[in-house]
Amino acid sequence: MAEVVIVKDSIEGGSVAAGLIARLVRRKPDAVLGLATGSTPLSTWQALAKLNLDLSKVRGFALDEYVGLPVGHPQSYRSVISREVVGPLRLTPEFVRVPADSGPLETAGDDYEQAIRDAGGVDLQVLGIGRTGHIGFNEPGSSLASLTRVKTLTEATRTDNARFFDSPDQVPTHCITQGLGTILRAKHLVLLAFGAAKAPALAGAVEGPVTSSLPGSVIQLHPNVTVIADEAAAAELKFADYYRNAWNSRLDWERD
Ligand code: PGA
């Protein structure tokens, strides 16, 4: 079962997640982080930046990228990662990869998988979850064993992401994303969910059946998952009291 941490708000959630990353980097200064974009991880990056750690040796792999945006477009995930993660955390830009950032699109998925393997695998993967239950851009129906590949976005996700663009029709129709199988290979998954809109997807992911209809449910196949959710996102979790109790009764060695 995933460890589920229910927090007051996204600020507290970001600080819990940043603490997990800090603990990893203190132990392994060249740790490999899986980087998520979107609104959800922002408080994590902000809390981590405040810790003022030397993250210059950390390597990073973004979860996903739009297909079809011009290089340097402010909403490309390469730009978002540079602006919201690499800059504030003072990561080394050359150590941070985004899918399809070099070479032809046709082989970009395999190339990315190889690059992750060459780096020794992802140590800690930060994840958000979409209203559709997607993680990365793995929309409902994605194979639970999928690897990095090009996908078509659902209209629900395009609508959700339209807020970042001047008009909804500018949201790309395609993306390239780490697969659910890729995500499962990371050593530790940290799934963040904030706000009431995420409550049904989060409950399905944590407590529902494992199904490609709700891609986030694949986390139940992973042995080392931390879910960090605020009260609103946790509202539909059946075992919320148990999760609170388990978190509050952590043993000393589980607390550092
Ligand atoms: P959000 O997106 O952080 O912008 O809510 C999460 C996701 O779609 O994975």
Side-chain angles (χ1 to χ4, degrees), residues 50 63 112 192:
K50 283 203 192 117
L63 265 179
Y112 207 61
L192 306 164

Side-chain angles (χ1 to χ4, degrees), residues 15-134:
S15 133
V16 173
L20 296 174
I21 298 171
R23 185 164 64 174
L24 166 68
V25 174
R26 286 194 184 105
R27 182 167 54 77
K28 184 177 179 187
D30 64 345
V32 180
L33 292 183
L35 305 170
T37 47
S39 326
T40 305
L42 283 177
S43 60
T44 298
W45 309 136
Q46 282 155 8
L48 190 56
K50 283 203 192 117
L51 295 179
N52 222 3
L53 299 173
D54 175 7
L55 301 174
S56 60
K57 295 196 181 67
V58 164
R59 291 151 307 150
F61 287 90
L63 265 179
D64 44 17
E65 175 60 295
Y66 289 117
V67 167
L69 290 180
V71 175
H73 188 289
Q75 291 310 326
S76 74
Y77 285 176
R78 162 57 77 188
S79 299
V80 173
I81 290 273
S82 300
R83 199 165 58 231
E84 295 175 352
V85 187
V86 176
L89 298 184
R90 289 177 283 119
L91 301 184
T92 303
E94 301 76 51
F95 292 173
V96 177
R97 295 279 315 262
V98 174
D101 55 6
S102 63
L105 190 57
E106 288 78 356
T107 54
D110 290 345
D111 293 347
Y112 207 61
E113 293 290 330
Q114 187 61 46
I116 294 173
R117 275 197 298 274
D118 290 346
V122 170
D123 291 302
L124 186 153
Q125 175 66 59
V126 176
L127 296 167
I129 186 164
R131 275 192 307 139
T132 62
H134 72 205

Side-chain angles (χ1 to χ4, degrees), residues 249-256:
S249 22
R250 273 168 302 148
L251 303 171
D252 283 347
W253 58 268
E254 295 176 298
R255 288 175 185 264
D256 0 298

